[in-house]
């Protein structure tokens, strides 16, 4: 028995009626398996089992090849007993004997080895073949409709033999069936991929459409409600500014306290270690007590500072949220408002001057006053001072008696900015009026200030300004009962 390579695999030998009927039944069964949603491996296995029986082979195996990666893969395995043998063949046989010179495409030739022991192609695999009682093989190409080899069919025999012409014809019919199954599976996979891509595109477009509709509805809802929510929105914005400032300001004393506590802990460990070893000196103990007292004082002082800050910001946030009437020191309160704006102002060179009696205690809406001051200050910072200019902002508060109307508060707010024209002053309190829309201005700041003074504080606001001479807001409002 010698190896025989046939350049052409086209045989016209007639197949017996029984073999043809058995092959046709396997082909129909495999097709139905695939068309009904079964796995490709299951259909291929039916063809392989049929070919095994007709050719009296011990194993029939279909081998796929992914050309770009130069990898072989067994498909439709008929018996797990030959798994390691097929792996050995994939590793050392197919790549050496069934690939074209470019090693990316499969040959179209039929290769028959009637006696593996006499075949150079099987020299390194004889031990594995004999272990599985395999002594002959036949491998033929699976060719698709455009003439490309897309797989291989290998049949292995447990005796030295060369398949007859009829058996080779049966294998060729099986190869054509396998080619049809593989082509159908590939076509189905491409169709499924197109369907998935189309579905994904439709989903993406639907999501974008839903988002657009949501944005339009949201914009319409905001447009109808914006007038009634302006003050509330500004309250939340001011609260956010305060929370940012709280984080920034509290971090410093807490960091110092943490450092001092760590230093104190380290000193304690050193002293305790020396004490346990009976080598602690009196001077070292004295130094420890001195440093411990100093560290404890630093910790207490900074924790007290953090506590004061937290209480301050807590009160400011309560004022922004509740809008309740309460008694408070106006000088301290204005200082707290400036503290809450520190993160927004720390990168600017502007300076503040407060002219407020330190003992002036008033009863009013603290949250409204903080909102008013925040809007006035941010309006000056954003619009009054050109880049590089050092702004000066003055806040003056006085209590005065307005005849029969009872005591009132007058708050004078001035800056040395670029000022405003008469036309601008006439429109300054109108909603959405702004001269800085290109730089992010909304035209709501002064409209909100006017609403706060008129509707919440029940007072009045007057603006005086001219180009190049800054601005002066005079605000008067009555004291209120708790």
């Amino acid at each position: 028995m010698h190896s025989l390579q046939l350049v052409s695999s086209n045989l016209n030998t007639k197949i017996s009626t029984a073999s043809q009927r058995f092959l046709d039944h396997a082909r129909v069964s495999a097709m139905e398996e695939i068309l009904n949603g079964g796995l490709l491996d299951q259909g291929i296995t039916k063809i392989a089992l049929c070919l095994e029986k007709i050719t009296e082979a011990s194993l029939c195996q279909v081998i796929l090849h992914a050309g770009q990666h130069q990898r072989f893969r067994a498909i439709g395995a008929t018996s797990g007993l030959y798994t390691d043998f097929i792996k050995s063949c994939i590793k050392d046989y197919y790549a050496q004997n069934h690939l074209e010179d470019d090693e990316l495409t499969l040959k179209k030739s039929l290769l028959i080895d009637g006696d593996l022991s006499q075949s150079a192609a099987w020299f390194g695999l004889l031990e594995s073949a004999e272990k599985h009682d395999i002594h002959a093989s036949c491998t033929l190409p699976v060719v698709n409709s455009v003439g490309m080899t897309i797989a291989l069919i290998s049949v292995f025999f447990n005796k030295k033999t060369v398949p007859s012409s009829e058996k080779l014809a049966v294998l060729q019919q099986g190869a054509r069936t396998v080619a049809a199954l593989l082509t159908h599976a590939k076509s189905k996979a491409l169709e499924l991929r197109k369907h998935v891509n189309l579905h994904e595109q439709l989903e993406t477009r639907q999501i974008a459409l839903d988002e657009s509709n949501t944005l339009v509805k949201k914009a319409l809802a905001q447009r109808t409600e914006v007038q009634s929510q302006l003050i509330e929105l500004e309250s939340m914005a001011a609260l956010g500014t305060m929370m940012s400032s709280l984080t920034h300001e509290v971090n410093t004393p807490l960091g110092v306290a943490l450092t001092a506590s760590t230093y104190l802990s380290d000193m304690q460990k050193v002293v305790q270690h020396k004490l346990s070893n009976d080598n602690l000196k009196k001077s070292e103990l004295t130094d420890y007590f001195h440093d411990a007292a100093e560290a404890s004082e630093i910790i207490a002082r900074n924790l007290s500072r953090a506590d004061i800050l937290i209480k301050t910001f807590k009160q400011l946030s309560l004022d922004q949220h509740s809008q309740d009437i309460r008694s408070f020191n106006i000088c301290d309160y204005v200082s707290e408002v400036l503290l809450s704006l520190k993160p927004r102002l720390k990168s600017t060179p502007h300076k503040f001057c407060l002219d407020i009696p330190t003992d002036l205690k008033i009863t009013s809406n603290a949250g409204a006053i903080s909102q008013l001051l925040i809007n006035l200050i941010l309006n000056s910072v954003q619009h009054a001072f050109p880049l590089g200019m050092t702004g000066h902002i003055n806040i003056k508060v006085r209590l005065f008696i307005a005849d029969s109307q009872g005591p009132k508060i007058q708050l004078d707010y001035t800056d040395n900015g670029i000022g405003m024209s008469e036309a601008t002053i006439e429109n300054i309190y109108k909603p959405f009026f702004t001269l800085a829309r290109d730089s992010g201005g909304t035209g709501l700041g002064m409209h909100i200030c006017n609403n706060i003074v008129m509707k919440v504080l029940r007072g009045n606001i007057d603006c005086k300004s001219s180009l190049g001479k800054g601005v002066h807001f005079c605000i008067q409002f009555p004291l209120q009962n708790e």
Side-chain angles (χ1 to χ4, degrees):
M1 299 290 178
H2 297 286
S3 297
L4 173 65
Q5 180 169 334
L6 300 180
V7 176
S8 174
S9 59
N10 293 321
L11 299 174
N12 297 316
T13 305
K14 187 176 180 180
I15 302 174
S16 68
T17 303
S19 296
Q20 187 66 57
R21 186 182 301 113
F22 190 44
L23 189 58
D24 289 342
H25 176 75
R27 181 172 60 250
V28 171
S29 178
M31 289 292 187
E32 288 180 349
E33 180 79 33
I34 301 298
L35 292 175
N36 290 330
L39 298 176
L40 176 63
D41 278 41
Q42 295 172 341
I44 297 294
T45 298
K46 290 180 182 293
I47 302 300
L49 289 172
C50 174
L51 296 178
E52 282 181 14
K53 186 170 184 179
I54 295 176
T55 60
E56 299 178 340
S58 58
L59 171 66
C60 177
Q61 182 67 64
V62 177
I63 303 294
L64 296 181
H65 177 251
Q68 292 182 348
H69 304 288
Q70 301 181 21
R71 294 176 182 173
F72 289 91
R73 179 170 68 89
I75 183 172
T78 58
S79 175
L81 299 175
Y82 298 94
T83 300
D84 58 338
F85 172 70
I86 293 299
K87 288 182 178 179
S88 298
C89 291
I90 287 175
K91 181 180 178 182
D92 298 319
Y93 175 71
Y94 292 108
Q96 296 179 12
N97 298 280
H98 295 279
L99 285 177
E100 298 286 0
D101 292 337
D102 59 8
E103 297 188 351
L104 294 178
T105 56
L106 294 169
K107 295 179 180 179
K108 295 182 180 179
S109 56
L110 171 68
L111 186 63
I112 300 174
D113 287 302
D115 184 356
L116 300 189
S117 64
Q118 301 298 317
S119 173
W122 287 92
F123 179 76
L125 296 168
L126 284 179
E127 182 178 349
S128 178
E130 291 175 356
K131 176 182 176 182
H132 293 84
D133 194 25
I134 291 177
H135 300 282
S137 74
C138 174
T139 302
L140 69 159
V142 177
V143 183
N144 62 13
S145 59
V146 297
M148 179 181 294
T149 304
I150 57 177
L152 300 171
I153 290 182
S154 289
V155 287
F156 301 94
F157 303 91
N158 55 13
K159 61 182 179 179
K160 300 176 181 179
T161 182
V162 173
S164 65
S165 297
E166 180 182 355
K167 290 180 179 180
L168 289 177
V170 168
L171 289 174
Q172 284 187 331
Q173 282 205 27
R176 286 192 287 270
T177 301
V178 170
L181 292 175
L182 292 175
T183 301
H184 172 77
K186 184 177 180 180
S187 175
K188 187 176 180 181
L190 291 174
E191 183 180 345
L192 179 61
R193 184 67 257 173
K194 290 180 180 178
H195 177 74
V196 170
N197 289 339
L198 179 60
H199 182 68
E200 290 176 349
Q201 290 177 6
L202 290 175
E203 280 190 344
T204 301
R205 292 178 181 177
Q206 186 62 46
I207 291 173
L209 181 60
D210 291 343
E211 289 178 350
S212 298
N213 289 336
T214 300
L215 290 175
V216 170
K217 291 179 181 179
K218 185 177 180 180
L220 290 174
Q222 288 177 339
R223 182 179 178 182
T224 57
E225 297 178 4
V226 66
Q227 292 287 32
S228 61
Q229 294 181 347
L230 288 177
I231 296 178
E232 181 180 353
L233 291 175
E234 284 297 312
S235 296
M236 297 304 295
L239 183 59
T241 300
M242 288 184 225
M243 291 303 100
S244 174
S245 182
L246 172 62
T247 302
H248 179 272
E249 293 298 318
V250 171
N251 274 343
T252 300
L254 288 183
V256 173
L258 180 60
T259 301
S261 65
T262 302
Y263 174 67
L264 181 60
S265 177
D266 292 341
M267 287 193 303
Q268 182 180 357
K269 290 178 182 178
V270 171
V271 171
Q272 187 174 2
H273 177 72
K274 290 186 176 182
L275 181 61
S276 61
N277 293 330
D278 295 329
N279 61 352
L280 178 63
K281 299 178 181 179
K282 180 180 179 181
S283 59
E284 291 176 336
L285 182 60
T286 301
D287 291 342
Y288 166 71
F289 285 138
H290 177 269
D291 291 343
E294 192 174 73
S296 298
E297 183 181 351
I298 292 174
I299 293 172
R301 184 168 63 251
N302 281 275
L303 289 180
S304 176
R305 173 61 179 160
D307 180 60
I308 293 172
L309 287 170
I310 291 173
K311 288 179 179 178
T312 296
F313 282 96
K314 180 180 179 181
Q315 185 60 62
L316 283 173
S317 64
L318 288 174
D319 290 339
Q320 292 290 323
H321 181 71
S322 65
Q323 297 290 330
D324 288 338
I325 306 300
R326 67 181 181 89
S327 295
F328 56 94
N329 184 296
I330 185 64
C331 182
D332 293 341
Y333 196 73
V334 173
S335 299
E336 292 169 2
V337 171
L338 292 178
L339 179 62
S340 72
L341 289 172
K342 189 173 181 180
R344 298 279 291 272
L345 304 176
K346 65 179 181 180
S347 60
T348 67
H350 311 315
K351 302 182 182 300
F352 291 83
C353 177
L354 301 185
D355 183 6
I356 307 172
T358 56
D359 59 348
L360 179 55
K361 189 174 183 180
I362 68 172
T363 301
S364 186
N365 189 315
I369 292 175
S370 67
Q371 283 182 255
L372 174 65
L373 290 172
I374 289 172
N375 276 284
L376 289 173
I377 293 169
L378 294 182
N379 189 68
S380 292
V381 172
Q382 294 170 3
H383 306 296
F385 306 127
L387 186 64
M389 177 181 180
T390 299
H392 292 272
I393 296 175
N394 300 314
I395 301 174
K396 178 180 178 180
V397 179
R398 292 291 185 269
L399 176 66
F400 69 98
I401 304 298
D403 301 329
S404 60
Q405 297 180 2
K408 284 188 175 184
I409 292 293
Q410 179 170 316
L411 189 154
D412 291 289
Y413 177 94
T414 61
D415 70 41
N416 65 333
I418 61 176
M420 295 180 288
S421 65
E422 292 185 5
T424 300
I425 295 175
E426 290 177 0
N427 294 283
I428 192 173
Y429 301 126
K430 293 181 180 179
F432 307 111
F433 172 79
T434 179
L435 299 177
R437 197 172 303 280
D438 292 339
S439 59
T442 62
L444 295 176
M446 294 311 302
H447 173 68
I448 292 172
C449 287
N450 185 62
N451 279 347
I452 290 173
V453 174
M454 300 288 291
K455 297 179 180 180
V456 182
L457 297 177
R458 294 181 295 178
N460 56 76
I461 181 171
D462 181 50
C463 177
K464 295 180 180 180
S465 181
S466 59
L467 292 176
K469 295 186 178 180
V471 69
H472 175 202
F473 288 98
C474 180
I475 302 163
Q476 294 183 350
F477 56 90
L479 298 181
Q480 300 181 35
N481 296 323
E482 293 189 76

